[in-house]
Amino acid sequence: MKKLIILIFVCVACVGSINAQTNWHLDNFATFNWQIATPLSTNYLKKTTVAGGNLEYRRFIKPTMSVGIGFSWNSFEQYIPPKVYDKPDGSRQLYTDFVHQVYTLPIYLNAHYYFKGGDKMKPYAGIGLGAQYSEQSAYYNIFVSEDDGWGFVARPEAGLLYRFSNYFGLHANVGFSYATNKNEALKIDELKHVYYNIGIFWNGD
Amino acid sequence: MKLKTFLVILFLSVLFSCRKEPSTEDLKLDQVVATDRDLTANFSGYATYFISDTVSIVASASTDSILTGPMALQLVNAVKTNMNNKGYTFKPRAQGLPDLGLRLTVIKDITRTAVCGGWWDGWYGYYPPWYWGCYYCGGYYYPWCTTYTYTIGTSTLYMFDIKNQGTNHDLRALWGATMFGVFSTTNNQTNADLTTTAINQAFTQSTYLKK
């Protein structure tokens, strides 16, 4: 997965250097995306989720650079078939099936560099840094064990803007999210996932 | 549409679509089975056991204290079958005290969270300590401590050490199974079958239980 992300970053950089012609000017824009995410971090969850979204606002401080703010949300969920869980000292066993769930809400400041992509397309790479709220839940029968908390989050990403007009266009990117959220009871030391955004952007001028 | 309007609309849409609640209906198809043991117990040091043909009920009504009939027999026979398969021998009460006493209890219409086993000790239909033959009995003693939520449909199976009653006639629990969770149906036979499955699972996961 890391190789894929690196490859995408390289491709974005290459696309950016192909066509130096551009008269497309952006002052600021908002983007709203459907987000798909694949968890990487723990054995607690491995299933890709399509329940997610992303909202960002970016303002250009140079023709090739923007800063902004954004947040995302993902609701990861996976059914764990019945099995016996042993207490290490052998004094207790528990047999059950689970629905594991992790909800993440990163809120971050971001910075992006834009390559020369031509008149219609603007590739970019950047990073978001901030805090991530997360809830971790384990449902079994009618019961639930859950915890929540905050952690630091870093989100390097690369993507593309493709405009249909001066005000509107398509947006897509791929990124890697690393957060320090922990849950001792559920043996979660960190939360990592790869995310894929596809959506629209709106140029505010 | 101005950018600020766009942002407000998006922000509101985000607020109402954040958290996805999972479907947990399938989780109710099987009961959760928890087993606890006394780590100092030597289970191969016991040979015989006894369990009543009736099942204790913990209910809000004091008159509703015991479950009899085919469903009670189905549950008790499941226990006997598993105990026999583990190498223990059933000893009728008329033949004297067994080495082990087993007690099966069903929680009928009470929900309670309790720390440590046996919060219902002394409950109406529960076997009093003299049931096991001691002359001047003490109480029940659980060497482990866990927090369980007992809901309607929960059943418990405890194994007590009759062979080594203390001088004060305390009966030490050697093993306990708590089978909990709500039933997904009100059909009694279906629920009895679910409990039977849970009893079998309790013995299956307790591999240390053997003569």
Side-chain angles (χ1 to χ4, degrees):
Chain A
M1 190 56 75
K2 287 180 182 175
K3 289 179 181 175
L4 174 65
I5 295 170
I6 292 168
L7 181 64
I8 291 169
F9 271 87
V10 170
C11 288
V12 166
C14 290
V15 168
S17 62
I18 290 170
N19 189 343
Q21 288 185 344
T22 180
N23 53 12
W24 181 18
H25 176 71
L26 283 169
D27 284 329
N28 61 71
F29 71 90
T31 176
F32 181 59
N33 304 282
W34 172 41
Q35 187 169 100
I36 300 167
T38 303
L40 300 174
S41 50
T42 68
N43 289 327
Y44 186 70
L45 269 172
K46 292 182 176 176
K47 188 178 176 186
T48 295
T49 181
V50 296
N54 166 257
L55 178 65
E56 286 187 5
Y57 174 75
R58 303 181 194 177
R59 175 173 285 277
F60 282 77
I61 54 174
K62 289 182 179 180
T64 57
M65 186 171 286
S66 73
V67 294
I69 187 169
F71 72 92
S72 298
W73 70 98
N74 296 106
S75 192
F76 298 96
E77 181 181 318
Q78 185 171 349
Y79 175 72
I80 311 296
K83 63 176 278 193
V84 177
Y85 298 86
D86 281 293
K87 195 177 177 185
D89 67 1
S91 64
R92 187 176 307 155
Q93 295 79 38
L94 182 76
Y95 171 86
T96 188
D97 51 354
F98 284 102
V99 170
H100 284 177
Q101 191 184 61
V102 172
Y103 175 72
T104 60
L105 183 71
I107 302 168
Y108 50 87
L109 299 174
N110 60 32
H112 292 92
Y113 180 82
Y114 298 82
F115 303 97
K116 294 172 183 176
D119 189 47
K120 292 282 188 183
M121 192 162 59
K122 199 177 277 290
Y124 69 83
I127 190 168
L129 299 172
Q132 175 168 284
Y133 172 76
S134 176
E135 294 176 3
Q136 305 93 39
S137 309
Y139 294 86
Y140 57 107
N141 204 279
I142 59 165
F143 308 103
V144 60
S145 298
E146 57 188 351
D147 198 3
D148 58 62
W150 289 86
F152 168 77
V153 66
R155 300 162 59 91
E157 63 182 13
L160 285 169
L161 299 171
Y162 184 88
R163 69 165 178 158
F164 295 126
S165 71
N166 284 335
Y167 298 98
F168 180 75
L170 284 179
H171 170 245
N173 71 12
V174 59
F176 170 71
S177 175
Y178 171 82
T180 60
N181 299 77
K182 294 180 180 6
N183 185 322
E184 192 174 337
L186 301 178
K187 294 184 171 58
I188 296 173
D189 296 326
E190 59 190 15
L191 290 174
K192 293 188 291 191
H193 63 263
V194 175
Y195 59 85
Y196 313 91
N197 280 317
I198 184 161
I200 57 172
F201 75 91
W202 187 274
N203 181 8
D205 276 339
Chain B
M1 183 187 291
K2 297 294 184 184
L3 178 64
K4 286 180 181 175
T5 308
F6 176 77
L7 284 173
V8 169
I9 292 170
L10 291 184
F11 184 71
L12 289 175
S13 67
V14 166
L15 282 182
F16 290 101
S17 62
C18 286
R19 179 77 188 267
K20 179 174 174 284
E21 289 295 332
S23 170
T24 55
E25 279 304 307
D26 288 347
L27 296 178
K28 298 174 189 170
L29 298 178
D30 286 316
Q31 290 205 299
V32 180
V33 181
T35 48
D36 295 88
R37 64 172 293 197
D38 180 352
L39 283 172
T40 65
N42 175 19
F43 291 100
S44 63
Y46 304 88
T48 59
Y49 72 94
F50 176 80
I51 184 169
S52 170
D53 281 345
T54 60
V55 176
S56 298
I57 291 179
V58 175
S60 55
S62 59
T63 53
D64 199 1
S65 60
I66 216 167
L67 178 67
T68 59
M71 285 181 196
L73 274 180
Q74 177 181 331
L75 302 181
V76 169
N77 285 338
V79 175
K80 285 182 177 177
T81 300
N82 280 284
M83 285 296 286
N84 295 342
N85 289 341
K86 294 282 188 180
Y88 300 102
T89 305
F90 179 75
K91 187 175 184 179
R93 289 190 75 183
Q95 294 180 15
L97 284 177
D99 294 342
L100 298 166
L102 287 111
R103 183 193 66 198
L104 186 58
T105 304
V106 172
I107 314 297
K108 187 179 179 186
D109 54 10
I110 292 172
T111 296
R112 185 177 295 185
T113 298
V115 178
C116 304
W119 59 268
W120 53 86
D121 285 355
W123 208 266
Y124 316 115
Y126 171 68
Y127 309 158
W130 49 259
Y131 186 88
W132 303 110
C134 52
Y135 178 71
Y136 187 76
C137 282
Y140 294 93
Y141 166 59
Y142 301 86
W144 58 81
C145 194
T146 51
T147 302
Y148 290 127
T149 297
Y150 301 91
T151 56
I152 299 168
T154 296
S155 51
T156 65
L157 176 63
Y158 279 95
M159 177 187 290
F160 294 98
D161 186 349
I162 309 296
K163 180 181 177 183
N164 302 303
Q165 292 184 45
T167 51
N168 60 352
H169 300 292
D170 276 349
L171 292 175
R172 185 171 61 127
L174 300 177
W175 177 80
T178 306
M179 297 149 281
F180 54 99
V182 294
F183 291 127
S184 56
T185 171
T186 54
N187 183 297
N188 285 336
Q189 186 57 54
T190 301
N191 292 336
D193 292 344
L194 279 171
T195 304
T196 301
T197 301
I199 288 171
N200 292 336
Q201 176 58 38
F203 281 95
T204 299
Q205 70 193 44
S206 303
T207 53
Y208 46 81
L209 268 184
K210 53 191 169 190
K211 172 71 180 84

